[in-house]
Coordinates of all heavy atoms in Angstrom, one line a residue:
K1 N 11.9 4.4 -15.4 CA 12.9 4.0 -16.5 C 14.0 3.1 -16.0 O 14.9 2.7 -16.7 CB 13.6 5.3 -17.0 CG 12.6 6.3 -17.7 CD 13.3 7.5 -18.2 CE 12.4 8.4 -18.9 NZ 13.0 9.6 -19.4
N2 N 13.9 2.6 -14.7 CA 14.8 1.7 -14.2 C 16.3 2.1 -14.3 O 17.1 1.4 -14.8 CB 14.7 0.3 -14.8 CG 13.3 -0.3 -14.5 OD1 12.8 -0.3 -13.4 ND2 12.7 -0.9 -15.5
T3 N 16.5 3.4 -14.0 CA 17.8 4.0 -14.1 C 18.2 4.7 -12.8 O 17.4 5.3 -12.1 CB 17.7 5.1 -15.2 OG1 17.3 4.5 -16.4 CG2 19.1 5.7 -15.5
L4 N 19.5 4.5 -12.5 CA 20.1 5.1 -11.3 C 21.1 6.1 -11.8 O 21.8 5.9 -12.8 CB 20.8 4.0 -10.5 CG 21.5 4.4 -9.2 CD1 20.5 4.7 -8.1 CD2 22.5 3.3 -8.8
F5 N 21.3 7.2 -11.0 CA 22.2 8.3 -11.3 C 23.1 8.6 -10.1 O 22.7 8.4 -9.0 CB 21.4 9.5 -11.7 CG 20.5 9.3 -12.8 CD1 19.1 9.1 -12.6 CD2 20.9 9.4 -14.2 CE1 18.2 8.9 -13.6 CE2 20.0 9.2 -15.2 CZ 18.7 9.0 -15.0
L6 N 24.3 9.1 -10.5 CA 25.1 9.7 -9.4 C 25.7 11.0 -10.0 O 26.5 11.0 -10.9 CB 26.3 8.8 -9.1 CG 27.2 9.2 -7.9 CD1 26.4 9.3 -6.6 CD2 28.4 8.3 -7.8
Q7 N 25.3 12.1 -9.5 CA 25.8 13.4 -9.8 C 27.0 13.7 -8.9 O 26.8 13.8 -7.7 CB 24.7 14.5 -9.7 CG 25.2 15.9 -10.0 CD 25.6 16.1 -11.4 OE1 24.9 15.7 -12.3 NE2 26.8 16.7 -11.7
M8 N 28.1 13.9 -9.5 CA 29.4 14.1 -8.7 C 29.9 15.5 -9.0 O 30.3 15.9 -10.2 CB 30.4 13.1 -9.1 CG 29.9 11.7 -9.0 SD 31.2 10.4 -9.2 CE 31.7 10.8 -10.9
N9 N 29.9 16.4 -8.0 CA 30.4 17.7 -8.1 C 31.7 17.9 -7.2 O 31.9 17.1 -6.3 CB 29.4 18.7 -7.7 CG 28.1 18.7 -8.5 OD1 28.2 18.4 -9.7 ND2 27.0 18.9 -7.9
S10 N 32.4 19.0 -7.5 CA 33.6 19.3 -6.7 C 34.5 18.1 -6.6 O 35.0 17.7 -5.5 CB 33.2 19.8 -5.3 OG 32.4 20.9 -5.4
L11 N 34.8 17.4 -7.7 CA 35.6 16.2 -7.7 C 37.0 16.5 -7.3 O 37.6 17.5 -7.6 CB 35.6 15.6 -9.1 CG 34.2 14.8 -9.4 CD1 34.1 14.6 -10.9 CD2 34.2 13.5 -8.7
K12 N 37.5 15.5 -6.6 CA 38.9 15.5 -6.1 C 39.7 14.4 -6.6 O 39.1 13.4 -7.0 CB 38.9 15.4 -4.5 CG 38.0 16.5 -3.8 CD 38.0 16.2 -2.4 CE 37.1 17.2 -1.6 NZ 37.0 17.0 -0.2
P13 N 41.0 14.5 -6.7 CA 41.8 13.4 -7.1 C 41.6 12.1 -6.4 O 41.6 11.0 -7.0 CB 43.3 13.8 -6.9 CG 43.2 15.3 -7.0 CD 41.8 15.7 -6.4
E14 N 41.2 12.2 -5.1 CA 40.9 11.0 -4.3 C 39.6 10.3 -4.7 O 39.4 9.2 -4.3 CB 40.9 11.3 -2.8 CG 39.8 12.3 -2.5 CD 40.0 13.0 -1.2 OE1 41.1 13.5 -1.0 OE2 39.1 13.0 -0.3
D15 N 38.8 10.9 -5.6 CA 37.6 10.3 -6.1 C 37.9 9.4 -7.3 O 37.0 8.7 -7.8 CB 36.6 11.4 -6.6 CG 36.1 12.2 -5.4 OD1 35.8 11.7 -4.3 OD2 36.0 13.4 -5.6
T16 N 39.2 9.4 -7.8 CA 39.5 8.5 -8.9 C 39.3 7.1 -8.5 O 39.9 6.6 -7.5 CB 41.0 8.8 -9.3 OG1 41.1 10.1 -9.8 CG2 41.4 7.8 -10.4
A17 N 38.5 6.4 -9.3 CA 38.2 5.0 -9.1 C 37.3 4.5 -10.2 O 36.8 5.2 -11.0 CB 37.5 4.8 -7.7
V18 N 37.1 3.2 -10.2 CA 36.1 2.6 -11.0 C 34.8 2.6 -10.1 O 34.8 2.1 -9.0 CB 36.4 1.1 -11.4 CG1 35.2 0.5 -12.2 CG2 37.7 1.1 -12.2
Y19 N 33.7 3.1 -10.7 CA 32.5 3.2 -10.0 C 31.5 2.2 -10.5 O 31.3 2.0 -11.7 CB 31.9 4.6 -10.2 CG 32.5 5.7 -9.4 CD1 33.8 6.1 -9.7 CD2 31.9 6.3 -8.3 CE1 34.5 7.1 -9.0 CE2 32.5 7.3 -7.6 CZ 33.8 7.6 -7.9 OH 34.4 8.6 -7.1
Y20 N 30.9 1.5 -9.5 CA 30.1 0.3 -9.8 C 28.6 0.6 -9.3 O 28.4 1.1 -8.2 CB 30.6 -0.9 -9.0 CG 31.9 -1.4 -9.5 CD1 33.1 -0.9 -8.9 CD2 32.1 -2.3 -10.5 CE1 34.3 -1.4 -9.3 CE2 33.3 -2.7 -10.9 CZ 34.4 -2.3 -10.3 OH 35.7 -2.7 -10.7
C21 N 27.7 0.2 -10.2 CA 26.3 0.3 -9.8 C 25.9 -1.0 -9.1 O 26.4 -2.1 -9.4 CB 25.5 0.4 -11.1 SG 23.7 0.5 -10.9
Y22 N 25.0 -0.9 -8.1 CA 24.6 -2.0 -7.2 C 23.1 -2.0 -7.2 O 22.4 -1.0 -7.1 CB 25.2 -1.8 -5.9 CG 24.7 -2.7 -4.8 CD1 25.1 -4.0 -4.7 CD2 23.7 -2.2 -3.9 CE1 24.6 -4.8 -3.7 CE2 23.2 -3.1 -2.9 CZ 23.7 -4.4 -2.8 OH 23.2 -5.2 -1.8
S23 N 22.6 -3.3 -7.1 CA 21.2 -3.5 -6.9 C 21.0 -4.6 -5.9 O 21.8 -5.6 -5.9 CB 20.4 -3.7 -8.2 OG 20.7 -5.0 -8.7
D24 N 19.9 -4.6 -5.2 CA 19.6 -5.6 -4.2 C 18.1 -5.9 -4.3 O 17.3 -5.1 -4.0 CB 20.0 -5.2 -2.8 CG 19.9 -6.4 -1.8 OD1 19.6 -7.5 -2.2 OD2 20.2 -6.1 -0.6
D25 N 17.8 -7.1 -4.9 CA 16.4 -7.4 -5.1 C 16.1 -8.8 -4.6 O 16.9 -9.4 -3.9 CB 16.0 -7.2 -6.6 CG 16.9 -8.0 -7.5 OD1 17.5 -9.1 -7.1 OD2 17.1 -7.6 -8.7
A26 N 15.0 -9.4 -5.1 CA 14.6 -10.7 -4.6 C 15.6 -11.8 -5.0 O 15.6 -12.9 -4.4 CB 13.2 -11.0 -5.2
Y27 N 16.4 -11.5 -6.1 CA 17.4 -12.5 -6.5 C 18.7 -12.3 -5.8 O 19.7 -13.1 -6.1 CB 17.6 -12.4 -8.0 CG 16.3 -12.6 -8.8 CD1 15.5 -11.6 -9.2 CD2 16.0 -13.9 -9.2 CE1 14.4 -11.9 -10.0 CE2 14.8 -14.2 -9.9 CZ 14.0 -13.2 -10.3 OH 12.9 -13.4 -11.0
G28 N 18.8 -11.3 -5.0 CA 20.1 -11.1 -4.3 C 20.8 -9.9 -4.8 O 20.4 -9.2 -5.8
P29 N 22.0 -9.6 -4.3 CA 22.8 -8.5 -4.8 C 23.4 -8.7 -6.1 O 23.8 -9.8 -6.5 CB 23.9 -8.3 -3.7 CG 24.0 -9.7 -3.1 CD 22.7 -10.3 -3.2
H30 N 23.6 -7.6 -6.9 CA 24.2 -7.7 -8.2 C 25.0 -6.4 -8.4 O 24.5 -5.3 -8.0 CB 23.2 -7.9 -9.3 CG 23.8 -8.0 -10.7 ND1 24.4 -9.2 -11.1 CD2 23.8 -7.2 -11.7 CE1 24.8 -9.0 -12.3 NE2 24.5 -7.8 -12.7
W31 N 26.1 -6.5 -9.1 CA 27.0 -5.4 -9.5 C 27.2 -5.3 -11.0 O 27.3 -6.3 -11.6 CB 28.3 -5.5 -8.8 CG 28.3 -5.4 -7.3 CD1 28.2 -6.5 -6.4 CD2 28.2 -4.2 -6.5 NE1 28.2 -6.0 -5.1 CE2 28.2 -4.7 -5.1 CE3 28.2 -2.9 -6.8 CZ2 28.1 -3.8 -4.1 CZ3 28.2 -2.0 -5.7 CH2 28.1 -2.4 -4.4
G32 N 27.2 -4.0 -11.5 CA 27.6 -3.8 -12.8 C 29.1 -4.0 -13.0 O 29.8 -4.3 -12.1
Q33 N 29.6 -3.8 -14.3 CA 31.0 -3.9 -14.6 C 31.8 -2.7 -14.3 O 33.1 -2.8 -14.4 CB 31.2 -4.4 -16.0 CG 30.6 -5.8 -16.2 CD 30.9 -6.3 -17.6 OE1 30.2 -6.1 -18.6 NE2 32.0 -7.1 -17.7
G34 N 31.2 -1.6 -14.1 CA 31.9 -0.4 -13.6 C 32.2 0.6 -14.8 O 32.2 0.2 -15.9
T35 N 32.4 1.8 -14.4 CA 32.8 2.9 -15.3 C 34.0 3.7 -14.6 O 33.9 4.0 -13.4 CB 31.7 3.8 -15.7 OG1 32.1 4.8 -16.7 CG2 31.1 4.5 -14.5
Q36 N 35.0 4.0 -15.4 CA 36.2 4.6 -14.8 C 36.0 6.1 -14.7 O 35.6 6.8 -15.6 CB 37.4 4.4 -15.7 CG 38.7 5.1 -15.3 CD 39.3 4.5 -14.0 OE1 39.4 3.3 -13.9 NE2 39.6 5.3 -13.1
V37 N 36.3 6.6 -13.5 CA 36.3 8.1 -13.2 C 37.8 8.5 -12.8 O 38.3 7.9 -11.9 CB 35.3 8.5 -12.1 CG1 35.5 9.9 -11.7 CG2 33.9 8.2 -12.6
T38 N 38.3 9.4 -13.6 CA 39.7 9.8 -13.3 C 39.7 11.3 -13.1 O 39.3 12.1 -14.0 CB 40.7 9.5 -14.4 OG1 40.7 8.1 -14.6 CG2 42.1 9.9 -14.1
V39 N 40.1 11.8 -12.0 CA 40.3 13.2 -11.7 C 41.8 13.5 -11.7 O 42.5 13.1 -10.9 CB 39.7 13.6 -10.3 CG1 39.7 15.1 -10.1 CG2 38.3 13.0 -10.2
S40 N 42.2 14.2 -12.8 CA 43.6 14.4 -13.0 C 44.2 15.5 -12.1 O 43.5 16.4 -11.6 CB 43.8 14.8 -14.5 OG 43.1 16.1 -14.8

């Protein structure tokens, strides 16, 4: 399905960040635009 996952458990405030997906293929590295994770 060409899908990547990240299961995040026991989240801490220090995990707060924008999380970016990464791929490295024949065309070189590429990054997504990110998704915000906030641990209040």
Side-chain angles (χ1 to χ4, degrees):
K1 297 181 179 179
N2 296 315
T3 304
L4 180 73
F5 304 97
L6 184 67
Q7 178 66 47
M8 306 187 297
N9 299 324
S10 302
L11 283 162
K12 305 174 180 179
E14 64 200 49
D15 295 318
T16 296
V18 177
Y19 283 71
Y20 297 91
C21 179
Y22 169 80
S23 70
D24 192 0
D25 56 27
Y27 298 95
H30 182 75
W31 296 95
Q33 292 187 276
T35 184
Q36 177 71 48
V37 172
T38 301
V39 185
S40 64

